[in-house]
Amino acid sequence: QCTIPTAAQSGVSAIAGGQYHTIALKDGAVLAWGYNDYGQCTIPTAAQSGVSAIAGGGRHTIALKDGAVLAWGYNVHGQCTIPASANSGVSAIAGGRLHTVALKDGAVLAWGDNYTGQCTIPTAAQSGVSAIAGGNDHTIALKDGAVLAWGRNNFGQCTIPPTDAQSVVSAIACGGNHTIALGVTDCDFDGILDTDEIAQDPTLDRDLNGKLDSCDIAANPALDRNVNGVLDSYEIAQNPALDRNLNGVVDSYEIAQNPALDRNLNGIFDSVDIAASPELDRNLNGVLDSYEIEQNSSLDRNLNGVLDSYEIAQSPALDRNNNGILDSAEIAQEPTLDRNSNGIIDLVEITALTAQLNCGDLNGDGEVNGADLGRMLISWGQCQ
């Protein structure tokens, strides 16, 4: 079966194999060599011209001519006895070990040994089938990108494994006790292979995983949290500013989920703003001072955009009465607190002057003299 005859060394257009013989198609004529114990290599006159397809069974040979199936060789199980339905309109043929398979108008036909049900066609295989194949004792078909299989299943040859939901099968074949399928990907089901689409437009696969980004996103929406149709990972790689906290998630999405992360509504995490400009959080509580002031205006009574507590900490003289409120703000609210309009709360001055009075040194020059009396007259007027 592996010694190629001269006739098969040129001009051959198709080949097939049986159990112990080889078949070729040349200029519409069938060639066969190898074991011929049942005449499987003895070509009948009808198969010497006009043949369009060939297939091999265990010890029988099959040909397709003008839509009709021809078969010869071992026929103990009727695998070479062509039923009337296979005498016209057949578009494809295949051979099992002891059975023959044909495809007609999208429906599978099968005859010969049916001990394991390989010739009992399931309902699903009675329409819409595009390809067929035969194993030792099982039959398979391809329908709408999915594999159908029936017959002996002692090695799992008819147990179709789950496939990627984004994949479809483009071709099938049978071994003796196993099944083979070729999967291709058309995850957007537009009838164009994803690989072809990507070749035409590489931006359709920005993460270079061989799949359309749109399908990756459909399977896992978290890959495109800002819902712009572009993988977040790609956007971040192109513009790192989109993920300033370096956690792999677009900042805009995080902010949308938790607005407290961007209280000044500038599209940047407050934590990032503060890290770049520490003066935005002078009280070091992780919250923008501007936001705190917006929520509680009493934190900035002099309206200069700086927390009063910070200003007082930097300059204690701004709060001489130590009540946590700027003296200027208290005086603005209650002018009588500073009757001499010198910007110092009178009570504070009085306290200081009283301390000086206790020592008789009213002007604080270190001596008790007439100047102190003048100070008294200036502050409290003439004696009555």
Side-chain angles (χ1 to χ4, degrees):
Q1 58 266 36
C2 294
T3 302
I4 313 302
T6 302
Q9 293 180 13
S10 65
V12 171
S13 58
I15 53 175
Q19 188 172 4
Y20 298 114
H21 70 295
T22 303
I23 312 162
L25 181 62
K26 180 178 181 178
D27 299 329
V30 178
L31 307 176
W33 59 95
Y35 268 36
N36 194 33
D37 47 348
Y38 290 97
Q40 60 265 47
C41 293
T42 301
I43 313 302
T45 302
Q48 294 178 16
S49 64
V51 172
S52 57
I54 54 176
R59 293 191 178 187
H60 68 292
T61 303
I62 313 158
L64 180 63
K65 180 177 181 177
D66 298 328
V69 179
L70 307 175
W72 59 94
Y74 188 60
N75 193 34
V76 172
H77 299 278
Q79 59 266 48
C80 294
T81 301
I82 313 302
S85 58
N87 284 327
S88 64
V90 172
S91 57
I93 53 175
R97 182 171 62 95
L98 298 172
H99 70 295
T100 300
V101 190
L103 180 63
K104 180 177 180 177
D105 299 328
V108 178
L109 306 176
W111 58 94
D113 180 38
N114 194 35
Y115 179 73
T116 61
Q118 62 266 47
C119 294
T120 301
I121 313 303
T123 301
Q126 294 176 17
S127 64
V129 172
S130 57
I132 53 174
N136 273 354
D137 302 301
H138 73 293
T139 304
I140 62 172
L142 179 61
K143 179 177 180 178
D144 298 329
V147 178
L148 306 176
W150 60 96
R152 187 183 294 277
N153 194 35
N154 54 329
F155 294 103
Q157 58 266 51
C158 293
T159 301
I160 311 302
T163 58
D164 187 333
Q166 297 177 350
S167 297
V168 294
V169 173
S170 61
I172 54 174
C174 272
N177 294 307
H178 67 289
T179 298
I180 311 164
L182 176 64
V184 296
T185 302
D186 176 22
C187 70
D188 55 357
F189 300 103
D190 62 354
I192 303 173
L193 293 179
D194 295 348
T195 51
D196 291 343
E197 290 191 84
I198 292 167
Q200 292 298 310
D201 183 2
T203 64
L204 296 176
D205 177 28
R206 296 182 187 269
D207 59 354
L208 305 177
N209 69 347
K211 294 183 180 180
L212 295 174
D213 292 347
S214 58
C215 292
D216 285 329
I217 291 168
N220 183 6
L223 296 176
D224 177 26
R225 295 183 188 269
N226 58 359
V227 196
N228 67 348
V230 180
L231 292 169
D232 293 348
S233 58
Y234 176 81
E235 291 191 273
I236 291 169
Q238 296 299 303
N239 183 7
L242 295 176
D243 177 27
R244 296 180 187 266
N245 60 355
L246 306 177
N247 67 347
V249 180
V250 174
D251 293 348
S252 58
Y253 174 80
E254 291 191 87
I255 290 169
Q257 297 300 302
N258 183 5
L261 295 174
D262 177 27
R263 296 183 188 271
N264 61 354
L265 306 178
N266 69 345
I268 300 174
F269 288 130
D270 293 347
S271 58
V272 173
D273 283 325
I274 292 169
S277 301
E279 68 273 10
L280 296 177
D281 177 28
R282 296 182 186 270
N283 60 356
L284 306 177
N285 68 347
V287 181
L288 292 171
D289 294 348
S290 58
Y291 177 78
E292 291 191 88
I293 291 169
E294 179 184 331
Q295 297 299 303
N296 182 1
S297 58
S298 68
L299 296 177
D300 177 26
R301 295 180 188 267
N302 60 356
L303 306 177
N304 68 347
V306 180
L307 292 170
D308 294 347
S309 59
Y310 176 79
E311 291 191 271
I312 292 168
Q314 296 300 303
S315 179
L318 295 176
D319 178 26
R320 295 178 186 271
N321 59 356
N322 299 316
N323 67 348
I325 301 174
L326 292 171
D327 293 348
S328 58
E330 290 192 89
I331 292 170
Q333 292 295 310
E334 181 54 67
T336 60
L337 294 177
D338 179 24
R339 294 180 186 272
N340 60 355
S341 301
N342 68 347
I344 301 174
I345 293 175
D346 292 348
L347 180 60
V348 172
E349 286 192 279
I350 291 169
T351 300
L353 289 173
T354 299
Q356 293 176 347
L357 181 61
N358 290 337
C359 296
D361 180 15
L362 300 182
N363 62 0
D365 62 0
E367 298 182 7
V368 177
N369 52 34
D372 296 321
L373 178 59
R375 175 69 175 175
M376 179 183 294
L377 294 175
I378 291 172
S379 298
W380 290 288
Q382 298 179 354
C383 295
Q384 300 295 325

